[in-house]
Amino acid sequence: MDKTEKNNTHLPERLPVCPVRGSVIYPSMVMPIDAGRPISIRAIEAALSQERVILIVSQRDKEIEEPGPADLYDVGTACNILRMRKNADGSVQMLVQAFARVQVQQYHAASGYLEASVARLPEVEDKATEVTALFREVKERFETLLREGKYVSPEVAQFVLNLEDPSQLADYIAFHLDFKLEVKQQILATPSVVDRLKRIAVLLDAELDLVETQRRIQQQVKEEIDKNQREFFLREQMKAIQRELHGEEGEMEVEEFRQKIAALNLPPSVLPEVERELSRFARMHPDSAEASVVRTYLDWIINLPWNTRTEDQIDLQEAKKILDEDHYGLEKVKDRVLEYLAVRKLKLERQKKGEIPPEEVSKGPILLFVGPPGVGKTSIAKSIAKSLGRKYHRISLGGARDESDIRGHRRTYIGAMPGRIIQGMRQAGSKNPVILLDEVDKLGVSYQGDPAAALLELLDPAQNKEFTDHYLGVPFDMSEVLFICTANFPENIPGPLFDRMELIEFTSYIEQEKLEIAKRYLLPRQMVENGLKENQVHITEAALMRLITHYTREAGVRNLEREIGTLLRKSARAILEGGKKRVRIGEGDLEKYLGPARFQPESEARTPQIGVATGMFYTPVGGDIMFIEVSVMPGKGNLILTGQLGDVMKESARAALSYAKKNAARFGIPLERFDNSDVHIHVPAGAVPKEGPSAGIAITAALVSALAEVPVRNDVAMTGEITLTGRVLPIGGVKEKILGARRAGIREVILPKQNQPDLSDIPVYLRQNLRFHFAESLDEALNWALVGGLGALEQKATLPAKKSRRSKEQPVARA
């Protein structure tokens, strides 16, 4: 420890500079100072080696570690170093006594520290009476501040009140009260005692006002809440403080929001609500929970495309080219899409001429694409967006069970957010995108509301101009959006929602279409994805066809693409491991790469059989044939149905049995056989559920065949719904059923008369070698289905009657 030196008031011309952070020292003060930075330690050592006088100067920014002249104030305090001690960690502690305000004339760089050329601030001669009056006024205000509750340690308060020097009073009050650093520095730089006292008086007044405001806020809060609810009291107190003080924190953020909202040009119905929320946000503390909620809301508002849109570029030739490049087949769908674009182009041209208002251009049907999975519904929607030059966004509605999924949650809920529609608009970034509502038939219903009902307003062109999301709470114009919906089963869509849409049906691909799609799209795409060049792998057409028929069973082509990918991956491995340059995959190689065939399509029965008829069925993965077997055995007139038949199919079986009973005499079936026999109807593939009325003809043919013991033709497949009176009604899926029958080797098909126009959907070359019979009644259908036709049945019906007459006549003759 250095010895204490005698006070020194001599001021050298140049002094070592010790920068301090966050504080200001005034003359006559004795202060301990801790120095840890090299620039400060070197300055202290230099001062000790000279006259033990050092200049203490405050930094403008306390975060700077190595300040330069520009980082320091121009007025500091000259101090005598009374004591100095070095710590083990290299830092220094010193005790200094300040004795003079000095003006820095110039800073100089010394060896690792700063020096300054200084001069004393000139003392100002003030009027003694003015100084005395201000001295008393400041001391009284300081006492008042202490009485009002401003906390200052008792020792400091007593010391300040005992001061008799006006200059020291101003300095010590400035030092001990929590004024800003800039204010304290201004007081240090003021040589006039009168000016310093006046400045202190103003600051004390401001402190008194602040204390009074705090007391008033506390009183207001105490009047509003119960005294025992301390936690609630503190929260309310904080809110009241924020309302009273406003503060500077968050002002930049509020101004930024205000500028962005002004640039949006919001509709008149939206702007007042948004401005109200912005005003609330400006009054809140930026770190409060409620401010976070409002901030998120305003962020959603400014990021929605209120007036951002893309210009439609409708070129029918280009659109047709895009559709043909992206999709094979689907001619009816493409025609409907081009019709839609043509109508829109005409409306745009009329609108430009002023013949129709702009809102009429956006009006149009909501397209509903219906079809099995993998047939191109989603990709067609992408192509529409591409041909229009619009943004595209897909919203999957499968499994949505809450209305809030569509309309959003109200902001009163924790974690509230907008619904999928508004989220999609933000992601699209355009007011007129193409939005695909995928899987609308998979919407669920729960106690939280029906999401399908929430779509009613959205998909109604007369209402969606003011679609209101619960989170936003203001209307958003959705009238310019082109909505396209997709579904697998339209019967699952609620009626009011279905009524707002125009149905466009996607049928399953036939084998020839799948073959072309595989060659044109799937194979080239998978070649690229698996790192193969065009000539490295060749899959023959026969191999692709067998892959379609024996390794996949689907309406679309997704599994087919996966199987092609499997072949190409195995080929890539063979090229690398076997050193081959080119791999050729023929029909016979599929089993080596993919294993045995997974599916064996049904083929026609070898011979006509009694009680076995060939029906046709349709599923989303395509059509095929099925065999309906009927066995008659001794019993009590029971009807046994097996094979996982649905309710409608069971009813068809009962209707067929009633028809057979009604026409038993005509068909040569003894009536007692119905009472003494059990009829068992079975449809093979018992693990697969079967439903629908279209098996009515086939069930009737098999039932009549078994009861009359007349075989059913094995080369005829049949489909059609029946009535008790023997009428044949139309059915669906004609194209798929006929193609499935053709694949199975069937050459004759029985169809309802009313389904005759459906044959136009089947290409001519696929109808070749097929013979069609169109039935209006069951008699016509049975005539074609049974061996020998109805004539054989009716002839058989007359034989027992003749024999019975002869047996009765013989005794009479013998008599």
Side-chain angles (χ1 to χ4, degrees):
M1 182 82 68
D2 288 83
K3 293 185 299 181
T4 304
E5 294 283 340
K6 187 177 180 181
N7 257 10
N8 180 17
T9 58
H10 169 67
L11 183 67
E13 293 183 357
R14 292 180 67 155
L15 292 177
V17 178
C18 179
V20 294
R21 296 187 276 197
S23 65
V24 176
I25 298 178
Y26 297 95
S28 79
M29 289 185 176
V30 177
M31 293 291 299
I33 294 178
D34 293 334
R37 293 183 289 180
I39 189 172
S40 301
I41 295 172
R42 294 191 191 102
I44 294 169
E45 291 174 346
L48 290 172
S49 66
Q50 298 171 10
E51 300 183 35
R52 304 180 69 88
V53 180
I54 194 166
L55 178 63
I56 304 296
V57 183
S58 296
Q59 290 183 204
R60 297 178 188 274
D61 184 356
K62 65 180 181 180
E63 301 298 329
I64 297 176
E65 287 294 325
E66 295 186 6
D71 302 316
L72 302 176
Y73 286 103
D74 294 334
V75 177
T77 312
C79 303
N80 286 315
I81 301 177
L82 303 180
R83 297 190 187 93
M84 190 275 288
R85 184 181 69 184
K86 289 187 177 180
N87 298 322
D89 59 357
S91 63
V92 170
Q93 289 181 327
M94 66 175 177
L95 185 68
V96 300
Q97 182 177 24
F99 65 87
R101 288 176 165 83
V102 296
Q103 175 72 47
V104 177
Q105 297 172 335
Q106 188 176 359
Y107 284 106
H108 309 280
S111 178
Y113 64 96
L114 290 175
E115 285 187 344
S117 300
V118 298
R120 286 179 186 266
L121 281 177
E123 295 183 0
V124 178
E125 291 292 333
D126 296 312
K127 292 181 180 180
T129 55
E130 189 175 4
V131 171
T132 302
L134 284 170
F135 175 77
R136 292 177 179 176
E137 181 68 22
V138 167
K139 186 171 285 192
E140 287 177 4
R141 293 188 185 186
F142 184 71
E143 289 177 339
T144 304
L145 186 64
L146 294 177
R147 287 196 302 270
E148 292 295 329
K150 180 68 176 180
Y151 177 76
V152 178
S153 67
E155 296 83 2
V156 171
Q158 190 63 42
F159 175 78
V160 172
L161 292 174
N162 290 335
L163 288 172
E164 296 297 332
D165 185 345
S167 177
Q168 289 185 0
L169 179 68
D171 290 345
Y172 274 86
I173 290 177
F175 181 82
H176 286 291
L177 292 186
D178 50 351
F179 301 139
K180 292 183 178 179
L181 179 65
E182 293 83 354
V183 174
K184 294 184 176 184
Q185 183 66 32
Q186 288 171 3
I187 293 172
L188 177 66
T190 304
S192 169
V193 176
V194 168
D195 291 342
R196 291 207 301 276
L197 287 171
K198 286 180 180 179
R199 180 70 174 162
I200 291 297
V202 171
L203 292 172
L204 289 174
D205 276 344
E207 283 292 317
L208 282 168
D209 287 343
L210 181 59
V211 170
E212 177 62 28
T213 302
Q214 287 178 327
R215 181 183 294 106
R216 180 160 47 85
I217 291 169
Q218 290 173 350
Q219 185 62 33
Q220 290 173 354
V221 173
K222 286 178 181 179
E223 291 173 357
E224 293 175 2
I225 64 174
D226 188 87
K227 294 180 180 179
N228 295 327
Q229 296 176 331
R230 179 169 179 76
E231 182 180 354
F232 182 72
F233 164 77
L234 293 174
R235 286 199 300 268
E236 289 297 315
Q237 186 182 41
M238 183 179 296
K239 290 180 183 177
I241 290 171
Q242 291 168 357
R243 285 195 300 268
E244 190 71 26
L245 297 180
H246 294 292
E248 298 180 2
E249 190 173 359
E251 285 186 6
M252 291 181 61
E253 186 178 19
V254 172
E255 185 60 30
E256 184 180 354
F257 273 130
R258 186 171 282 112
Q259 292 175 2
K260 290 181 177 179
I261 289 170
L264 287 176
N265 191 21
L266 293 173
S269 59
V270 177
L271 188 58
E273 173 69 15
V274 176
E275 288 182 339
R276 188 176 69 84
E277 290 295 322
L278 182 60
S279 298
R280 287 183 59 224
F281 181 67
R283 294 194 300 269
M284 296 175 184
H285 190 283
D287 295 333
S288 67
E290 192 174 359
S292 176
V293 172
V294 179
R295 183 185 292 111
T296 304
Y297 174 78
L298 293 174
D299 182 66
W300 271 100
I301 290 290
I302 64 176
N303 282 286
L304 284 175
W306 294 95
N307 293 294
T308 305
R309 55 174 59 82
T310 56
E311 290 295 327
D312 285 351
Q313 305 294 331
I314 303 178
D315 184 340
L316 291 183
Q317 295 299 324
E318 182 66 21
K320 187 175 187 306
K321 180 181 176 184
I322 290 172
L323 292 171
D324 288 338
E325 284 177 353
D326 295 347
H327 305 86
Y328 178 80
L330 304 176
E331 298 303 329
K332 285 189 175 182
V333 177
K334 292 177 184 177
D335 287 344
R336 180 63 188 88
V337 170
L338 291 173
E339 290 165 8
Y340 176 86
L341 297 178
V343 170
R344 191 169 188 85
K345 185 174 180 65
L346 289 176
K347 284 185 176 181
L348 274 173
E349 291 175 352
R350 292 190 63 192
Q351 186 265 324
K352 289 177 181 177
K353 295 176 183 178
E355 297 177 1
I356 59 175
E359 56 268 18
E360 285 295 322
V361 178
S362 301
K363 288 185 178 179
I366 307 296
L367 301 181
L368 172 63
F369 294 164
V370 172
V375 294
K377 300 187 295 296
T378 303
S379 57
I380 278 281
K382 286 183 181 178
S383 298
I384 292 174
K386 183 178 175 183
S387 60
L388 279 171
R390 290 193 180 193
K391 302 286 187 181
Y392 168 81
H393 183 73
R394 173 182 169 271
I395 299 174
S396 177
L397 298 179
R401 299 175 58 84
D402 189 348
E403 181 194 4
S404 299
D405 283 347
I406 308 298
R407 282 190 174 273
H409 300 79
R410 301 189 187 279
R411 297 198 301 278
T412 52
Y413 295 105
I414 295 175
M417 61 188 301
R420 298 190 192 184
I421 305 301
I422 293 298
Q423 291 180 38
M425 295 299 293
R426 177 174 177 173
Q427 293 175 26
S430 167
K431 193 179 180 182
N432 61 338
V434 173
I435 290 187
L436 177 70
L437 301 176
D438 210 4
E439 310 288 0
V440 292
D441 57 329
K442 308 297 191 306
L443 289 169
V445 180
S446 71
Y447 67 93
Q448 293 170 319
D450 183 359
L455 289 175
L456 294 177
E457 178 188 359
L458 181 70
L459 298 183
D460 192 336
Q463 301 179 38
N464 61 11
K465 189 174 180 64
E466 295 187 345
F467 175 75
T468 302
D469 185 274
H470 288 158
Y471 180 84
L472 295 184
V474 292
F476 190 89
D477 185 3
M478 306 290 290
S479 62
E480 296 182 44
V481 179
L482 172 55
F483 287 105
I484 299 175
C485 305
T486 71
N488 298 130
F489 303 102
E491 59 271 12
N492 294 340
I493 302 175
L497 185 60
F498 186 76
D499 186 56
R500 285 165 166 76
M501 306 177 188
E502 178 178 333
L503 187 145
I504 299 177
E505 191 169 2
F506 284 62
T507 57
S508 59
Y509 292 121
I510 61 177
E511 283 82 357
Q512 286 73 13
E513 289 175 335
K514 290 182 182 179
L515 180 63
E516 288 298 322
I517 292 170
K519 290 193 295 185
R520 297 187 187 189
Y521 305 104
L522 308 184
L523 188 55
R525 184 163 64 219
Q526 285 297 317
M527 292 280 280
V528 173
E529 289 186 7
N530 288 284
L532 294 166
K533 296 179 181 178
E534 185 178 350
N535 58 351
Q536 282 186 293
V537 178
H538 174 67
I539 303 178
T540 65
E541 190 169 306
L544 287 174
M545 182 55 77
R546 183 169 179 80
L547 195 64
I548 292 166
T549 56
H550 289 74
Y551 287 86
T552 61
R553 177 170 287 178
E554 57 179 341
V557 291
R558 287 179 182 157
N559 285 330
L560 177 59
E561 184 170 7
R562 293 189 191 102
E563 297 297 337
I564 291 174
T566 302
L567 288 175
L568 294 181
R569 287 194 299 273
K570 294 183 181 297
S571 300
R573 180 180 175 186
I575 290 172
L576 291 177
E577 291 182 351
K580 297 181 179 180
K581 293 184 178 180
R582 190 168 184 269
V583 174
R584 181 182 184 277
I585 300 176
E587 185 178 2
D589 300 320
L590 291 181
E591 191 164 338
K592 178 178 70 173
Y593 286 103
L594 302 178
R598 301 187 188 98
F599 304 103
Q600 293 292 339
E602 290 280 5
S603 58
E604 65 170 346
R606 294 182 180 179
T607 57
Q609 300 179 55
I610 293 175
V612 179
T614 306
M616 298 188 288
F617 69 90
Y618 161 69
T619 67
V621 301
D624 207 341
I625 64 171
M626 64 179 177
F627 297 108
I628 295 174
E629 302 175 348
V630 178
S631 178
V632 180
M633 63 201 81
K636 298 180 180 180
N638 296 321
L639 176 61
I640 304 168
L641 302 171
T642 57
Q644 280 210 64
L645 308 185
D647 291 339
V648 177
M649 203 165 180
K650 289 177 180 178
E651 290 169 0
S652 295
R654 294 188 183 98
L657 183 60
S658 297
Y659 175 81
K661 281 184 179 180
K662 180 181 178 181
N663 294 277
R666 189 158 62 94
F667 296 158
I669 305 171
L671 281 174
E672 59 271 14
R673 191 168 190 190
F674 291 97
D675 298 327
N676 301 329
S677 304
D678 288 343
V679 177
H680 186 172
I681 300 177
H682 176 69
V683 182
V688 181
K690 306 164 189 74
E691 180 60 300
S694 62
I697 291 180
I699 293 174
T700 305
L703 187 61
V704 171
S705 168
L707 291 169
E709 298 182 353
V710 174
V712 183
R713 291 175 58 185
N714 63 313
D715 58 345
V716 174
M718 58 205 80
T719 182
E721 183 181 355
I722 61 168
T723 68
L724 287 176
T725 58
R727 289 171 51 232
V728 176
L729 302 181
I731 42 81
V734 173
K735 177 182 176 182
E736 288 78 10
K737 291 177 179 178
I738 290 175
L739 295 176
R742 185 179 187 278
R743 189 189 315 117
I746 298 295
R747 290 294 172 261
E748 293 190 30
V749 177
I750 301 174
L751 296 172
K753 179 75 172 177
Q754 296 179 46
N755 284 118
Q756 189 169 356
D758 293 332
L759 290 187
S760 60
D761 293 339
I762 305 174
V764 176
Y765 71 93
L766 292 176
R767 284 183 274 159
Q768 292 176 351
N769 303 323
L770 280 177
R771 185 179 179 188
F772 297 98
H773 304 285
F774 299 101
E776 290 184 290
S777 65
L778 267 174
D779 284 358
E780 292 178 336
L782 293 175
N783 190 44
W784 292 315
L786 299 175
V787 174
L790 271 184
L793 277 182
E794 293 172 350
Q795 183 180 2
K796 184 178 179 183
T798 60
L799 290 177
K802 291 178 182 178
K803 289 182 181 178
S804 61
R805 281 196 298 270
R806 283 198 299 270
S807 62
K808 292 178 182 178
E809 291 170 356
Q810 282 176 356
V812 177
R814 283 197 298 272

